[in-house]
Amino acid sequence: TALLCPEWHERLGEGERNIPAVRAPDGTLVYLIEPDPNGRTIYDDDFILFSDEAPPSLVTSVDHVAQALPTGRMDNFVLFYRAVFGFSPDQLWEIPDPYGLVRSRTMVSADRTVRLPLHVSESREPATGRFLPTYAGAGVPHTATPTEELIRAAEQASARRARIRRLPGNYDADAVSRRYRR
């Protein structure tokens, strides 16, 4: 409110929880989610996907939530996350993509538990550039979650009908190459 970020409140249906949000510089909604006084989250109440009980999750946390931004909006979002949430920007990286350069800067919370990589591409060819027109603007192209049991976690997700992205045949060689370039 002090920084004049417009607030947003969804229309509530019966039994729905109020989830306040603020608008980012380009109008993107940033939802402010926290547990209720009893410790229940919206995920406990509003996102029951299966009638049977889910097996214990093999995913232990969220590593980061990436955001694809329109060209020229990196500085706006850096200032927004810094002013509104007290995040600090990490170093700016230029990531080569076979279809164009992607600029990336991660915003990090003071305790380093929240990481939001911001990606901008001048070209519409890299995944970041293709995401924007496909989804009508800035948004979240991926969320990264660590696990100690990758194969079992993928099998568990697949059994629950999650769409699993196929990796290209050269993925392993490219990953090794990237590791040694750092």
PDB file of all heavy atoms in Angstrom, residues 12 24 48 53 55-56 60 72 108 171 173:
ATOM      1  N   LEU A  12     -15.183 -14.070  -4.107  1.00  0.00           N
ATOM      2  CA  LEU A  12     -15.175 -15.314  -3.342  1.00  0.00           C
ATOM      3  C   LEU A  12     -16.470 -16.093  -3.526  1.00  0.00           C
ATOM      4  O   LEU A  12     -17.561 -15.528  -3.465  1.00  0.00           O
ATOM      5  CB  LEU A  12     -14.995 -15.026  -1.844  1.00  0.00           C
ATOM      6  CG  LEU A  12     -13.671 -14.408  -1.420  1.00  0.00           C
ATOM      7  CD1 LEU A  12     -13.663 -14.165   0.076  1.00  0.00           C
ATOM      8  CD2 LEU A  12     -12.516 -15.299  -1.808  1.00  0.00           C
ATOM      9  N   ALA A  24       1.987  -6.543 -10.067  1.00  0.00           N
ATOM     10  CA  ALA A  24       3.366  -6.196 -10.418  1.00  0.00           C
ATOM     11  C   ALA A  24       3.326  -5.085 -11.467  1.00  0.00           C
ATOM     12  O   ALA A  24       2.244  -4.715 -11.946  1.00  0.00           O
ATOM     13  CB  ALA A  24       4.081  -7.435 -10.943  1.00  0.00           C
ATOM     14  N   ILE A  48      -7.575 -30.294  -3.813  1.00  0.00           N
ATOM     15  CA  ILE A  48      -7.680 -31.736  -3.614  1.00  0.00           C
ATOM     16  C   ILE A  48      -7.913 -32.329  -5.004  1.00  0.00           C
ATOM     17  O   ILE A  48      -8.997 -32.216  -5.573  1.00  0.00           O
ATOM     18  CB  ILE A  48      -8.812 -32.075  -2.636  1.00  0.00           C
ATOM     19  CG1 ILE A  48      -8.513 -31.407  -1.293  1.00  0.00           C
ATOM     20  CG2 ILE A  48      -8.964 -33.589  -2.499  1.00  0.00           C
ATOM     21  CD1 ILE A  48      -9.661 -31.420  -0.323  1.00  0.00           C
ATOM     22  N   GLU A  53      -6.098 -41.305  -1.245  1.00  0.00           N
ATOM     23  CA  GLU A  53      -5.021 -40.642  -0.507  1.00  0.00           C
ATOM     24  C   GLU A  53      -3.721 -40.735  -1.310  1.00  0.00           C
ATOM     25  O   GLU A  53      -3.345 -41.804  -1.791  1.00  0.00           O
ATOM     26  CB  GLU A  53      -4.832 -41.298   0.856  1.00  0.00           C
ATOM     27  CG  GLU A  53      -3.887 -40.522   1.749  1.00  0.00           C
ATOM     28  CD  GLU A  53      -3.908 -41.024   3.176  1.00  0.00           C
ATOM     29  OE1 GLU A  53      -4.971 -41.457   3.640  1.00  0.00           O
ATOM     30  OE2 GLU A  53      -2.847 -40.974   3.804  1.00  0.00           O
ATOM     31  N   PRO A  55       0.269 -40.846  -2.052  1.00  0.00           N
ATOM     32  CA  PRO A  55       1.416 -41.377  -1.320  1.00  0.00           C
ATOM     33  C   PRO A  55       2.249 -40.216  -0.778  1.00  0.00           C
ATOM     34  O   PRO A  55       2.129 -39.079  -1.252  1.00  0.00           O
ATOM     35  CB  PRO A  55       2.185 -42.153  -2.391  1.00  0.00           C
ATOM     36  CG  PRO A  55       1.759 -41.553  -3.686  1.00  0.00           C
ATOM     37  CD  PRO A  55       0.360 -41.072  -3.480  1.00  0.00           C
ATOM     38  N   PRO A  56       3.084 -40.483   0.218  1.00  0.00           N
ATOM     39  CA  PRO A  56       3.947 -39.406   0.728  1.00  0.00           C
ATOM     40  C   PRO A  56       4.774 -38.809  -0.411  1.00  0.00           C
ATOM     41  O   PRO A  56       5.280 -39.532  -1.263  1.00  0.00           O
ATOM     42  CB  PRO A  56       4.859 -40.103   1.744  1.00  0.00           C
ATOM     43  CG  PRO A  56       4.173 -41.396   2.059  1.00  0.00           C
ATOM     44  CD  PRO A  56       3.330 -41.755   0.871  1.00  0.00           C
ATOM     45  N   THR A  60      10.650 -32.527  -1.653  1.00  0.00           N
ATOM     46  CA  THR A  60      10.795 -32.016  -0.290  1.00  0.00           C
ATOM     47  C   THR A  60      10.605 -30.511  -0.156  1.00  0.00           C
ATOM     48  O   THR A  60      10.358 -30.024   0.931  1.00  0.00           O
ATOM     49  CB  THR A  60      12.187 -32.386   0.253  1.00  0.00           C
ATOM     50  OG1 THR A  60      13.178 -31.870  -0.657  1.00  0.00           O
ATOM     51  CG2 THR A  60      12.344 -33.899   0.353  1.00  0.00           C
ATOM     52  N   GLY A  72      12.586  -5.610 -21.754  1.00  0.00           N
ATOM     53  CA  GLY A  72      12.612  -4.293 -21.129  1.00  0.00           C
ATOM     54  C   GLY A  72      11.968  -4.235 -19.745  1.00  0.00           C
ATOM     55  O   GLY A  72      11.879  -3.162 -19.158  1.00  0.00           O
ATOM     56  N   VAL A 108      16.312 -13.003  -4.525  1.00  0.00           N
ATOM     57  CA  VAL A 108      16.435 -13.929  -3.405  1.00  0.00           C
ATOM     58  C   VAL A 108      15.971 -13.250  -2.121  1.00  0.00           C
ATOM     59  O   VAL A 108      16.324 -12.100  -1.851  1.00  0.00           O
ATOM     60  CB  VAL A 108      17.905 -14.388  -3.249  1.00  0.00           C
ATOM     61  CG1 VAL A 108      18.044 -15.422  -2.155  1.00  0.00           C
ATOM     62  CG2 VAL A 108      18.443 -14.929  -4.559  1.00  0.00           C
ATOM     63  N   TYR A 171      20.654 -34.205 -24.083  1.00  0.00           N
ATOM     64  CA  TYR A 171      20.547 -33.483 -22.817  1.00  0.00           C
ATOM     65  C   TYR A 171      21.733 -33.770 -21.889  1.00  0.00           C
ATOM     66  O   TYR A 171      22.333 -32.860 -21.338  1.00  0.00           O
ATOM     67  CB  TYR A 171      19.238 -33.835 -22.097  1.00  0.00           C
ATOM     68  CG  TYR A 171      19.089 -33.106 -20.790  1.00  0.00           C
ATOM     69  CD1 TYR A 171      18.613 -31.804 -20.768  1.00  0.00           C
ATOM     70  CD2 TYR A 171      19.437 -33.700 -19.590  1.00  0.00           C
ATOM     71  CE1 TYR A 171      18.486 -31.110 -19.581  1.00  0.00           C
ATOM     72  CE2 TYR A 171      19.325 -33.020 -18.400  1.00  0.00           C
ATOM     73  CZ  TYR A 171      18.837 -31.731 -18.396  1.00  0.00           C
ATOM     74  OH  TYR A 171      18.730 -31.055 -17.217  1.00  0.00           O
ATOM     75  N   ALA A 173      24.809 -34.888 -22.502  1.00  0.00           N
ATOM     76  CA  ALA A 173      26.064 -34.321 -23.003  1.00  0.00           C
ATOM     77  C   ALA A 173      26.082 -32.804 -22.823  1.00  0.00           C
ATOM     78  O   ALA A 173      27.098 -32.230 -22.423  1.00  0.00           O
ATOM     79  CB  ALA A 173      26.267 -34.687 -24.469  1.00  0.00           C
TER      80      ALA A 173
END
